[in-house]
Amino acid sequence: MIDRKILRENPEVVIESCKRRGDDIDVMEMVALDKKERELKTKVEELRGERNRLSKECRTNPEAREQVKELKITLGALEHELNDVEASLTEKMGWLPNLIGDDVPDGSDEDSNEELRKVGEIPKFDFKVRDHQELGELLDIIDTKRGAKVAQSGFYYWKGKGAQLCNALFFWVQMELCKRNFTSFITPCAAKEKTLYGTGYLPFFADQTYSLENEDLALIGTSEQTLVGYHADEVLPKEQLPYCYTAFSPCFRTEAGSYGKESRGIFRVHQFHKVEQIVFCAPEDSPKMHQMCLENEEYLLQQLGIPYRVVNVCIGDMGAPGFKKFDIEAWFSAYNGYREVTSNTNLTEFQSRRLNVRYKSKDNERGYVHTISATAVTDRVAIAIIENNQQEDGTIIIPEVLRPFTGFDKIEPVK
RNA sequence: GGAGAGGUGGCUGAGCGGCUGAAAGCACAGGUUUGCUAAACCUGCGUACAGGCAACUGUACCGGGGGUUCGAAUCCCCCCCUCUCCGCCA
């Protein structure tokens, strides 16, 4: 949610941001509604004041009773009008995307993303590499067929040493984040509409959510929803910020409209698993915290020995709630290229305004916190390990850092 | 799933349809006293929005929505949530 004051005082800023995003939004209509709302509010408050005054008179002056009755007719009509205007404006405000950081590249899709750096050495193979789907079957560690049988196409099993690899990865990552002062969470895997709206997933990604029938609940698309929602309607002491949170959770996405896209393997699925980084911080610190999360992501991939590149995501690829976003794309050997594994967004006060998460300092400075939402790792990182660390016979070498948690150093084909 | 209790300010907890934005206590902030600490005493202390340089004024808010009334935290209706007990259960 954008600050109404910006809409009111600098509508050109909002118009420019919508234009850069390629969104066709009638900002001036909203400005007019805002003005109308304020006028109505002033009138309504005046009349209510009058009503309250007269009501107090009623005990001594019976005539006042008739005056109030009359006044209430006018007041009622105005209140109705005000309600309509408010509802309409709130709805439109909910659809308004965030402002955009200055150094966000223009562009409508990922082709316009700006590569910031490449890190790590691309592995060379002198044999024909297998993709993770093929390796998954060969090693009996990924089972998409049974996933489809039991649930639906787009669901899958991690099995055996594959599951152990994932468990090790997710556990290790959470420990690393805890060492960096993140607080560990296990969160609800469902959230109510208010929470999804507050984090910006609604209304923008409504077709991506799995709603539960007859409940005001949906399966979470990411623990960002439950972690940011954690502090809804709270005032955080500024001196104690930043709050850095991490959680491991499944993430559910309908992927409506993307059937047939990247459908091989488990790269794009209905349920994946993620360790998340969430930061609540003072507004002036959010660029720094955004970088901090990025450093964490890079550190993890470096430790795992996965080559990657960091990308400054362009406007068209960013999503309405985002102010600025970095993606990391890991090298996938079978794909012979980089593919997105993490996404790190500075949401500024977009979410905190919707969810009403404020801060207050000792000397009474108040405002809305900024939130950072960043992936630490997902299943995709496990896939990268599998594809990049494969041997000619299909054996997967486990990264050193994970071995204490897997208890083995390689995954071999089933006999 | 069955039965009951309850939702009031940061917390505990009063509240007759108007004098209640809301008693009291705790917590918190400032001050006095005291060798320090503690204690005691005094004072202050909700949020949002609008107006004003400001002291301040107005409006709204006692789970949410509707209703009755000149006037609702207080009466009526609906919904939501929380807690306790029983049953079932990872």
Side-chain angles (χ1 to χ4, degrees), chain A residues 21 98-101 104-105 107-109 113 205 312-327 343-347:
Chain A
R21 284 181 187 271
N98 202 353
L99 302 176
I100 306 164
V104 173
S108 59
D109 57 39
N113 292 348
F205 308 105
N312 181 12
V313 175
C314 78
I315 291 162
D317 205 20
M318 184 158 67
F323 177 81
K324 181 171 173 63
K325 173 164 138 176
F326 296 118
D327 277 0
S343 167
N344 175 352
T345 309
N346 182 354
L347 295 130

Side-chain angles (χ1 to χ4, degrees), chain A residues 140-141 158-167 408 411:
Chain A
D140 195 23
I141 57 172
W158 281 107
K159 181 182 176 186
K161 287 187 172 173
Q164 284 179 268
L165 169 64
C166 286
N167 284 331
F408 50 81
I411 306 177

Side-chain angles (χ1 to χ4, degrees), chain A residues 185-201 217-232 234 245-252 274 276 278 280 351 355 357 373:
Chain A
F185 279 85
I186 297 174
T187 83
C189 291
K192 53 182 71 171
E193 181 181 334
K194 199 177 122 187
T195 307
L196 299 199
Y197 176 86
T199 44
Y201 282 83
L217 281 177
L219 298 180
I220 57 172
T222 157
S223 60
E224 169 190 357
Q225 295 161 348
T226 43
L227 285 176
V228 176
Y230 184 79
H231 284 303
E234 293 183 21
Y245 293 165
T246 180
F248 168 76
S249 83
C251 304
F252 299 95
K274 176 154 64 98
E276 179 79 344
I278 294 292
F280 296 83
Q351 296 180 322
L355 283 167
V357 187
S373 169

Side-chain angles (χ1 to χ4, degrees), chain A residues 146-200:
Chain A
R146 288 191 176 88
K149 176 179 75 176
V150 172
Q152 194 184 61
S153 165
F155 293 89
Y156 59 93
Y157 289 85
W158 281 107
K159 181 182 176 186
K161 287 187 172 173
Q164 284 179 268
L165 169 64
C166 286
N167 284 331
L169 173 67
F170 295 134
F171 182 76
W172 170 72
V173 168
Q174 289 175 86
M175 289 305 99
E176 287 296 322
L177 289 174
C178 287
K179 282 186 205 162
R180 289 168 167 68
N181 279 321
F182 277 71
T183 304
S184 192
F185 279 85
I186 297 174
T187 83
C189 291
K192 53 182 71 171
E193 181 181 334
K194 199 177 122 187
T195 307
L196 299 199
Y197 176 86
T199 44

Side-chain angles (χ1 to χ4, degrees), chain A residues 66-323:
Chain A
E66 295 311 310
Q67 292 176 31
V68 177
K69 276 189 184 172
E70 210 164 298
L71 187 145
K72 276 177 69 182
I73 298 170
T74 323
L75 178 58
L78 280 175
E79 281 176 332
H80 261 107
E81 202 183 338
L82 176 61
N83 281 344
D84 290 348
V85 170
E86 267 175 348
S88 165
L89 183 55
T90 304
E91 213 257 325
K92 289 182 200 304
M93 287 295 288
W95 275 103
L96 200 58
N98 202 353
L99 302 176
I100 306 164
D102 293 332
D103 48 355
V104 173
D106 279 308
S108 59
D109 57 39
E110 60 183 9
D111 295 338
S112 303
N113 292 348
E114 174 196 352
E115 179 182 297
L116 296 180
R117 56 184 166 275
K118 278 188 178 133
V119 178
E121 204 140 313
I122 308 297
K124 299 268 189 293
F125 296 95
D126 52 10
F127 56 89
K128 190 174 177 298
V129 296
R130 300 173 167 99
D131 69 11
H132 70 275
Q133 171 73 31
E134 196 180 344
L135 287 165
E137 285 177 27
L138 180 71
L139 306 177
D140 195 23
I141 57 172
I142 297 172
D143 194 332
T144 52
K145 283 196 179 66
R146 288 191 176 88
K149 176 179 75 176
V150 172
Q152 194 184 61
S153 165
F155 293 89
Y156 59 93
Y157 289 85
W158 281 107
K159 181 182 176 186
K161 287 187 172 173
Q164 284 179 268
L165 169 64
C166 286
N167 284 331
L169 173 67
F170 295 134
F171 182 76
W172 170 72
V173 168
Q174 289 175 86
M175 289 305 99
E176 287 296 322
L177 289 174
C178 287
K179 282 186 205 162
R180 289 168 167 68
N181 279 321
F182 277 71
T183 304
S184 192
F185 279 85
I186 297 174
T187 83
C189 291
K192 53 182 71 171
E193 181 181 334
K194 199 177 122 187
T195 307
L196 299 199
Y197 176 86
T199 44
Y201 282 83
L202 293 178
F204 297 106
F205 308 105
D207 61 350
Q208 284 295 318
T209 55
Y210 278 105
S211 294
L212 301 187
E213 211 172 341
N214 298 324
E215 298 272 4
D216 175 23
L217 281 177
L219 298 180
I220 57 172
T222 157
S223 60
E224 169 190 357
Q225 295 161 348
T226 43
L227 285 176
V228 176
Y230 184 79
H231 284 303
D233 295 316
E234 293 183 21
V235 180
L236 312 178
K238 191 180 184 192
E239 291 74 16
Q240 283 176 31
L241 297 175
Y243 288 176
C244 300
Y245 293 165
T246 180
F248 168 76
S249 83
C251 304
F252 299 95
R253 313 231 168 141
T254 62
E255 296 295 346
S258 63
Y259 290 113
K261 197 161 130 194
E262 298 175 316
S263 60
R264 184 165 167 84
I266 60 167
F267 194 80
R268 181 182 290 275
V269 283
H270 290 313
Q271 177 189 335
F272 62 97
H273 307 87
K274 176 154 64 98
V275 178
E276 179 79 344
Q277 311 179 72
I278 294 292
V279 178
F280 296 83
C281 65
E284 61 271 24
D285 290 336
S286 72
K288 199 171 74 193
M289 291 298 128
H290 195 202
Q291 285 296 332
M292 183 272 288
C293 289
L294 182 61
E295 280 163 26
N296 290 343
E297 290 161 40
E298 294 196 56
Y299 170 81
L300 294 168
L301 290 174
Q302 286 167 21
Q303 291 293 299
L304 292 166
I306 300 173
Y308 63 88
R309 62 177 196 149
V310 180
V311 158
N312 181 12
V313 175
C314 78
I315 291 162
D317 205 20
M318 184 158 67
F323 177 81

Side-chain angles (χ1 to χ4, degrees), chain A residues 4-64:
Chain A
R4 284 263 189 106
K5 244 184 226 149
I6 295 176
L7 183 72
R8 195 174 301 143
E9 291 164 12
N10 305 91
E12 70 284 353
V13 172
V14 183
I15 291 170
E16 175 63 16
S17 128
C18 289
K19 208 169 120 194
R20 279 189 73 196
R21 284 181 187 271
D23 287 341
D24 184 24
I25 292 179
D26 191 344
V27 176
M28 288 321 286
E29 185 194 9
M30 294 169 67
V31 173
L33 274 173
D34 174 69
K35 191 169 172 232
K36 179 93 182 155
E37 194 215 289
R38 283 153 57 77
E39 286 167 2
L40 282 169
K41 215 170 198 167
T42 308
K43 268 191 224 159
V44 163
E45 286 188 3
E46 270 171 22
L47 286 180
R48 281 180 185 160
E50 185 65 17
R51 178 200 61 195
N52 292 348
R53 261 193 304 282
L54 286 170
S55 290
K56 276 178 193 152
E57 267 181 43
C58 279
R59 285 204 290 186
T60 52
N61 174 18
E63 275 175 36

